[in-house]
């Protein structure tokens, strides 16, 4: 056993209102500099939709992540020799048009325009060329465009749906969409790190945060292609790659990352997971349908004395272990099995988990009336069968969160529905106790569990949502350099000229 | 060689007081005799007989030490001379102060004693003695190109010089194109350059690895043949063509190697979808158009 600690995350999609506050918080802190205007380390996309960069999930084009051939893991992008062969020309880079061309507006013109017959306008100006431009796309261009024949219908996840399911997704009155906020997953088997020829991308030992060393980065940009989530970006001004740093300076001072802290829907949870690094390869190369189970398996019980001993032997601090015991992520992912990894088939073993959104119940215009799946006939009973009558095809959710394994998402939904039915029976009283018990049985859970899920979903305190471990970075630093030297302010870019090795 | 022997002989037979001028003579035959005579008439550069009377000693010292600088400054006498001598500038020979002083002393001494000097300077520029072999332009060419090696291990001329008649790619660009060189320096000038190149960039290389007399003869012949031809515009065009063809081949190779690269994603996707929507709209319109036409009738 090689037990390591990972600061990991849960996003409860049912609570996301698509306000983009998280993206803006991140942009204000990290990416309002020259060269990174187009980067959104946190972005919120509408699903079904094509996301940012456009069609990032389509690995036939982008070649991100891993593939397991006869159980052997290999980067989709290229072999080690391929890396050498293609080092001066990376064939799999998104163009800036696939992100979008960042812009500002000619605000000055509003003040300086000469008097005329028309109101002056502020034309858009490219932040790359400085010229006036036509806006063609943006970081959330298909926002709320569920059902769009240009965007939603090109979503890679609808590819394997039946024709009927696909029409249903786009039909008026039956259209549905939800929001998918994305940050770097700080994967356990990161494609970005594996693809980097310069050894600049690395996973921090004490907390598993994945970073790009700005002094070592040589702009080969293989990390950008290697990451299947397209969460490493190239700074055209400094010539270095940058990515979500999980606000490590905030974490080190005990605060939640900015996007977590500012989240309006309070959908975000942060906590420590312990995992067994010896099993990474085995987990990442398991057959597709078993990937989610395997990933749950690599996460270790923080109360198990054996695990604790192994962790301590590995130098995991007591504070970290304590945080792991209170981790909301552990509950959502391992205990309740509610939160699922996004696209586990990319095989990077992402450490950001999603509770899938509840599906709106299927309703139709029937005899000129808006009919919620026979609600009139059977009272509120249809709540129980809302899974069968859900608008969004389960296959779609399975494509997103369980590598196509519908059983796994079904299980999750049964639980979510059970909690709803159970709490409704208790609080509103228009559902009978039998029905509530039936729902619990279907969800394979006890009343206590339903109560706990309800509490952590609907009424969590700030401290329950964010269990930030004491990272004790100052202690870690003391071992290699003087904290007084270190004290000066950090920042982006290279403070020192990169050292040459020849 | 002969000049050196003469210098040794002179040095051995002269009193110690004439040492400086004697040193100057050695320097003269090694560095200056390629282009100048004393009383033997104009070669590449002017005859230096009586030069101490014509020029101020300071001017002469400086001219010998740094002619390139004086030309660059636009010094009037230097500029006039440049025009007078076919625009062949006097090169900076990289002489030390002592060498310059001894040269000036030597020129001074010779200016006063012109009559005595006649036989010697002829020796210095005498064309290479042709032995029992026939000099051949082809051999010269092979030597120039490096297909035949120089006996003493000197690098082939091609490494630094280009010349007409050696193919489209030409030779190196460090030294000047030698196509017209023979015409410029003349037979005896060329001969002495080949025997002991006086140029700063060449002498460190060829002082230790001199060309044999036969090699000199072969090369001289080759250079004289080259002098009558010239690098034609066609050969320059050939080179451009070769370069362009090379570039195209390289481009094709990279295109082939990386043909499965990621091109744009968003724009083609949007264009495809728009076209699809447009098609279905047209189909719809047609259907409606036909029905409404029948209705209006
Ligand atoms: S999600 Fe983050 S850690 Fe995972 S491969 Fe992409 S950049 Fe690397
Ligand atoms: S701030 Fe929270 S609720 Fe708003 S878009 Fe971001 S994740 Fe969703």
């Amino acid at each position: 056993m090689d037990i390591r600690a990972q600061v990991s995350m849960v996003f409860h999609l049912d609570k996301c209102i698509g306000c983009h506050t998280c993206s803006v918080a991140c942009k204000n802190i990290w990416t309002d500099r020259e060269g990174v205007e187009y980067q959104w380390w946190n972005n919120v996309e509408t699903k079904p939709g094509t996301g940012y960069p456009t069609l990032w999930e389509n690995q036939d084009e982008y070649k991100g992540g891993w593939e397991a051939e006869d159980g052997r893991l290999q980067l989709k992008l290229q072999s080690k020799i391929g890396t050498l062969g293609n080092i001066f020309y990376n064939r799999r880079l998104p163009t800036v048009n696939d992100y979008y061309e960042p812009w500002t507006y000619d605000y000055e013109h509003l003040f300086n325009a000469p008097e005329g017959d028309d109101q002056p306008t502020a034309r858009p100006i490219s932040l790359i060329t400085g010229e006036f431009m036509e806006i063609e796309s943006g970081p959330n261009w298909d926002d709320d465009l569920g059902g769009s024949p240009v965007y939603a219908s090109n979503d890679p996840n609808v590819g394997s749906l039946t024709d009927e399911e696909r029409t249903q997704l786009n039909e008026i009155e039956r259209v549905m969409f939800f929001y998918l906020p994305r940050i770097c997953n700080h994967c356990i088997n990161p494609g970005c790190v594996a693809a980097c020829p310069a050894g600049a991308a690395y996973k921090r030992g004490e907390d598993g945060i994945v970073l790009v060393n700005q002094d070592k980065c040589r702009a080969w940009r293989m990390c950008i292609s290697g990451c299947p989530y397209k969460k490493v970006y190239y700074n055209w001004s400094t010539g270095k790659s940058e990515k979500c740093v999980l606000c490590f300076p905030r974490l080190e001072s005990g605060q939640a990352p900015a996007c977590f802290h500012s989240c309006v829907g309070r959908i975000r949870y942060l906590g420590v997971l312990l995992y067994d690094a010896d099993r990474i390869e085995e987990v990442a190369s398991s057959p597709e349908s078993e990937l989610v189970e395997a990933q749950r398996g690599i996460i270790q019980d923080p109360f198990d004395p054996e695990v604790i001993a192994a962790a301590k032997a590995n130098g995991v601090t007591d504070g970290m272990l304590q945080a792991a015991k209170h981790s909301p992520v552990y509950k959502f992912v391992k205990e309740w099995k509610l939160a699922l990894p996004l696209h586990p088939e990319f095989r990077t073993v992402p450490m950001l988990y999603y509770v899938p959104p509840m599906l709106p119940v299927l309703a139709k215009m029937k005899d000129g009336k808006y009919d919620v799946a026979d609600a009139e006939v059977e009272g509120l009973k249809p709540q129980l069968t809302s899974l069968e009558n859900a608008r969004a095809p389960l296959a779609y959710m399975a494509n997103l969160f369980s590598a196509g394994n519908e059983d796994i998402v079904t299980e999750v939904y049964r639980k979510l529905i059970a909690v709803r039915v159970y709490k409704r029976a208790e609080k509103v009283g228009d559902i009978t106790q039998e029905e509530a018990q039936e729902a619990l049985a279907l969800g394979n859970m006890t009343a206590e569990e339903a109560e706990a899920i309800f509490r952590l979903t609907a009424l969590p305190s700030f401290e329950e949502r964010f269990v930030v471990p004491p990272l004790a970075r100052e202690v870690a630093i003391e071992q290699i350099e003087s904290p007084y030297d270190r004290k000066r302010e950090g920042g982006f870019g290279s403070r020192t000229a990169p050292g040459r090795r020849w | 060689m002969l000049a050196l022997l003469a210098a040794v002989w002179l040095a051995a037979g002269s009193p110690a007081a004439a040492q400086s001028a004697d040193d100057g003579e050695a320097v003269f035959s090694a560095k200056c005799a390629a282009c100048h005579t004393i009383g033997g008439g104009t070669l590449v550069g002017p005859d230096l007989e009586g030069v101490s009377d014509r020029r101020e000693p300071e001017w002469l010292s400086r001219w010998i030490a740094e002619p390139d600088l004086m030309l660059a400054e636009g010094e009037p006498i230097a500029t006039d001379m440049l025009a007078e001598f076919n625009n062949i500038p006097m090169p900076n020979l990289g002489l030390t102060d002592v060498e310059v002083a001894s040269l000036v002393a030597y020129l001074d001494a010779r200016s006063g004693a012109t009559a005595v000097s006649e036989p010697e300077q002829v020796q210095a520029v005498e064309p290479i003695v042709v032995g029992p072999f026939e000099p051949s332009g082809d051999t010269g060419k092979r030597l120039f190109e490096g297909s035949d090696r120089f006996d003493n291990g000197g690098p082939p001329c091609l490494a630094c010089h280009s010349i007409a008649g050696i193919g489209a790619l030409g030779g190196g660009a460090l030294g000047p194109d030698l196509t017209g060189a023979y015409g410029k320096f003349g037979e005896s000038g060329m001969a002495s350059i080949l025997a002991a190149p006086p140029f700063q960039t060449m002498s460190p290389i060829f002082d230790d690895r001199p060309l044999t007399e036969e090699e000199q003869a072969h090369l001289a012949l080759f250079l004289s043949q080259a002098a009558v031809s010239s690098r034609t515009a066609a050969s320059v065009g050939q080179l451009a063509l070769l370069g362009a063809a090379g570039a195209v081949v390289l481009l094709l190779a990279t295109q082939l190697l990386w043909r499965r690269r990621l091109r744009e994603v968003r724009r083609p996707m949007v264009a495809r979808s728009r076209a699809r929507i447009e098609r279905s709209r047209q189909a719809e319109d047609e259907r409606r158009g036909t029905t409404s036409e029948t209705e209006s009738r």
Side-chain angles (χ1 to χ4, degrees):
Chain A
M1 263 203 283
D2 178 4
I3 301 296
R4 298 185 194 169
Q6 167 79 44
V7 174
S8 25
M9 307 141 271
V10 164
F11 288 2
H12 198 308
L13 294 186
D14 221 9
K15 305 210 283 171
C16 179
I17 58 173
C19 61
H20 300 272
T21 308
C22 45
S23 305
V24 172
C26 176
K27 170 124 300 242
N28 281 338
I29 293 187
W30 297 112
T31 57
D32 59 349
R33 296 159 287 132
E34 182 187 70
V36 297
E37 302 95 341
Y38 79 95
Q39 305 181 4
W40 294 83
W41 296 356
N42 181 110
N43 76 298
V44 183
E45 44 199 60
T46 297
K47 283 280 150 192
T50 52
Y52 157 88
T54 307
L55 294 179
W56 61 271
E57 289 154 294
N58 184 353
Q59 305 308 344
D60 292 341
E61 296 273 13
Y62 288 112
K63 301 273 185 224
W66 304 82
E67 57 198 1
E69 263 178 42
D70 327 312
R72 264 196 66 244
L73 274 183
Q74 149 97 45
L75 277 182
K76 261 210 176 83
L77 181 64
Q78 57 204 6
S79 62
K80 288 220 165 82
I81 294 175
T83 306
L84 200 63
N86 291 317
I87 195 141
F88 292 113
Y89 180 59
N90 181 350
R91 298 160 302 157
R92 295 284 161 188
L93 283 177
T95 67
V96 76
N97 283 323
D98 299 327
Y99 296 96
Y100 74 103
E101 186 169 348
W103 71 89
T104 181
Y105 292 96
D106 182 14
Y107 293 110
E108 234 164 68
H109 185 65
L110 298 182
F111 300 97
N112 301 341
E115 202 180 325
D117 292 340
D118 293 316
Q119 293 279 0
T121 53
R123 288 167 66 193
I125 298 177
S126 166
L127 282 174
I128 293 180
T129 62
E131 317 257 304
F132 288 119
M133 63 176 273
E134 284 293 327
I135 299 173
E136 264 181 60
S137 176
N140 54 338
W141 199 244
D142 54 349
D143 206 22
D144 294 352
L145 285 185
S148 148
V150 178
Y151 295 98
S153 62
N154 275 312
D155 184 326
N157 302 296
V158 304
S160 63
L161 304 191
T162 63
D163 280 348
E164 195 201 326
E165 284 170 326
R166 229 176 301 169
T167 3
Q168 171 191 325
L169 264 181
N170 296 332
E171 213 171 275
I172 209 152
E173 295 288 357
R174 293 166 72 170
V175 124
M176 71 98 201
F177 62 83
F178 60 93
Y179 302 107
L180 182 72
R182 301 200 300 123
I183 65 174
C184 164
N185 300 292
H186 298 279
C187 309
I188 281 184
N189 185 32
C192 57
V193 174
C196 175
Y202 66 104
K203 190 166 175 67
R204 230 162 62 158
E206 67 266 39
D207 49 20
I209 295 175
V210 176
L211 299 169
V212 176
N213 183 331
Q214 298 290 294
D215 285 342
K216 276 193 177 178
C217 177
R218 289 281 187 282
W220 303 121
R221 287 174 271 178
M222 297 296 175
C223 53
I224 295 167
S225 309
C227 169
Y229 302 92
K230 289 291 160 282
K231 277 295 170 190
V232 197
Y233 306 86
Y234 182 64
N235 178 333
W236 53 260
S237 172
T238 62
K240 310 275 175 176
S241 293
E242 295 184 14
K243 63 180 288 300
C244 156
V245 296
L246 201 59
C247 286
F248 70 81
R250 287 175 63 96
L251 286 179
E252 282 163 14
S253 52
Q255 304 171 74
C259 55
F260 286 68
H261 199 138
S262 64
C263 177
V264 173
R266 302 185 180 177
I267 79 158
R268 298 180 178 221
Y269 299 81
L270 180 127
V272 175
L273 291 180
L274 301 177
Y275 69 96
D276 183 0
D278 280 342
R279 293 178 50 197
I280 295 175
E281 192 171 355
E282 171 203 327
V283 167
S285 52
S286 12
E288 281 207 351
S289 57
E290 291 161 32
L291 273 168
V292 174
E293 259 320 309
Q295 194 165 332
R296 282 175 182 154
I298 201 175
I299 298 166
Q300 305 293 314
D301 180 357
F303 296 96
D304 182 340
E306 229 178 89
V307 171
I308 294 175
K312 281 193 173 159
N314 244 358
V316 178
T317 60
D318 286 341
M320 196 64 108
L321 287 171
Q322 199 57 32
K325 286 179 183 162
H326 293 120
S327 166
V329 179
Y330 183 76
K331 290 187 183 126
F332 271 117
V333 176
K334 181 92 176 185
E335 245 178 83
W336 303 330
K337 297 187 159 68
L338 276 182
L340 301 170
L342 177 64
H343 287 303
E345 74 275 17
F346 296 162
R347 297 178 189 277
T348 60
V349 195
M351 282 292 117
L352 160 55
Y353 294 84
Y354 292 88
V355 179
M358 284 292 268
L359 312 167
V361 174
L362 189 59
K364 284 185 210 162
M365 291 300 280
K366 205 170 162 188
D367 307 328
K369 261 189 358 205
Y370 197 62
D371 179 28
V372 183
D374 306 326
E376 280 166 36
V377 193
E378 299 178 64
L380 280 162
K381 179 102 193 242
Q383 282 279 352
L384 271 181
T385 57
S386 56
L387 190 57
E388 285 70 26
N389 289 323
R391 271 204 227 182
L394 271 182
Y396 181 80
M397 295 301 171
N399 282 346
L400 269 179
F401 299 116
S402 62
N405 186 338
E406 285 187 36
D407 293 345
I408 289 178
V409 272
T410 310
E411 242 171 68
V412 170
Y413 277 121
R414 292 261 181 247
K415 285 195 174 199
L416 291 174
I417 291 169
V419 176
R420 268 198 184 182
V421 173
Y422 173 76
K423 285 313 281 187
R424 177 137 189 163
E426 184 189 307
K427 297 281 180 195
V428 186
D430 57 355
I431 297 179
T432 63
Q433 269 307 314
E434 294 87 72
E435 270 178 43
Q437 290 309 322
E438 201 186 329
L440 287 179
L442 267 175
N444 194 16
M445 72 201 311
T446 62
E448 291 75 50
E449 201 179 328
E451 186 64 32
I453 294 173
F454 164 72
R455 288 207 65 82
L456 197 58
T457 304
L459 306 169
S461 68
F462 198 82
E463 288 73 24
E464 284 169 326
R465 281 189 282 140
F466 311 128
V467 183
V468 180
L471 290 183
R473 191 73 185 151
E474 61 287 357
V475 180
I477 282 171
E478 248 169 28
Q479 300 178 351
I480 44 174
E481 60 185 311
S482 155
Y484 291 106
D485 289 349
R486 184 79 196 182
K487 221 173 101 186
R488 64 192 166 172
E489 260 180 63
F492 272 100
S494 292
R495 276 172 296 153
T496 49
R500 302 273 173 211
R501 271 170 291 185
W502 57 83
Chain B
M1 204 57 168
L2 290 173
L4 213 73
L5 277 179
V8 170
W9 173 77
L10 266 175
S14 306
Q19 195 64 48
S20 176
D22 289 349
D23 287 351
E25 180 168 14
V27 177
F28 183 88
S29 33
K31 304 272 186 177
C32 317
C35 301
H36 301 279
T37 64
I38 302 177
T42 302
L43 272 180
V44 180
D47 186 340
L48 297 183
E49 177 159 32
V51 68
S52 326
D53 306 332
R54 271 179 282 153
R55 308 272 182 241
E56 296 293 317
E58 293 83 40
W59 187 94
L60 196 56
S61 308
R62 182 155 183 240
W63 177 244
I64 294 173
E66 41 185 41
D68 47 346
L69 250 167
M70 284 170 77
L71 279 168
E73 283 167 11
E75 207 278 339
I77 303 178
T79 317
D80 288 350
M81 277 206 299
L82 182 66
E84 188 181 338
F85 289 93
N86 267 337
N87 276 329
I88 304 175
M90 159 127 160
N92 185 327
L93 298 163
L95 302 177
T96 62
D97 289 351
V98 180
E99 283 171 325
V100 173
S102 57
L103 254 182
V104 173
Y106 173 67
L107 291 172
D108 216 13
R110 289 297 305 268
S111 298
T114 325
V116 203
S117 64
E118 294 293 345
E120 284 163 53
Q121 43 85 16
V122 177
Q123 271 180 358
V125 294
E126 194 179 319
I128 294 147
V129 183
V130 176
F133 71 98
E134 269 304 292
S136 133
D138 282 347
T139 316
K141 183 176 175 207
R142 280 206 300 283
L143 286 168
F144 189 98
E145 291 173 342
S147 345
D148 285 358
R149 287 170 177 246
F150 288 129
D151 281 350
N152 290 327
C157 320
L158 177 97
C160 301
H161 297 284
S162 195
I163 194 164
I166 56 163
L169 290 178
L174 180 67
D177 188 319
L178 298 184
T179 308
Y182 197 88
K184 236 178 182 181
F185 292 99
E187 188 185 347
S188 52
M190 208 36 138
S192 62
I193 292 176
L194 284 170
F199 309 109
Q200 234 180 331
T201 33
M202 288 180 76
S203 52
I205 304 170
F206 286 96
D207 280 357
D208 294 345
R209 310 172 187 82
L211 308 181
T212 64
E213 282 178 12
E214 295 182 9
E215 284 164 357
Q216 293 172 31
H218 290 310
L219 272 176
L221 189 59
F222 172 59
L223 289 171
S224 70
Q225 289 165 350
V228 296
S229 66
S230 62
R231 276 200 89 187
T232 54
S235 75
V236 176
Q238 233 174 348
L239 178 60
L241 217 70
L242 222 66
V248 168
V249 167
L250 271 179
L251 278 175
L252 283 178
T254 48
Q255 168 71 21
L256 196 73
L257 190 61
W258 288 309
R259 65 192 174 286
R260 286 170 55 215
R261 61 184 177 274
L262 181 66
R263 294 181 166 86
E264 262 194 301
V265 176
R266 180 178 56 80
R267 281 180 178 157
M269 180 198 84
V270 172
R272 251 182 285 123
S273 306
R274 292 244 166 89
R276 202 179 49 224
I277 296 167
E278 194 49 40
R279 272 200 307 278
S280 59
R281 184 174 298 154
Q282 271 170 8
E284 181 81 350
D285 280 356
E286 263 167 41
R287 206 169 46 74
R288 255 198 229 130
T290 46
T291 45
S292 63
E293 266 172 41
T294 33
E295 272 163 21
S296 62
R297 270 185 221 134

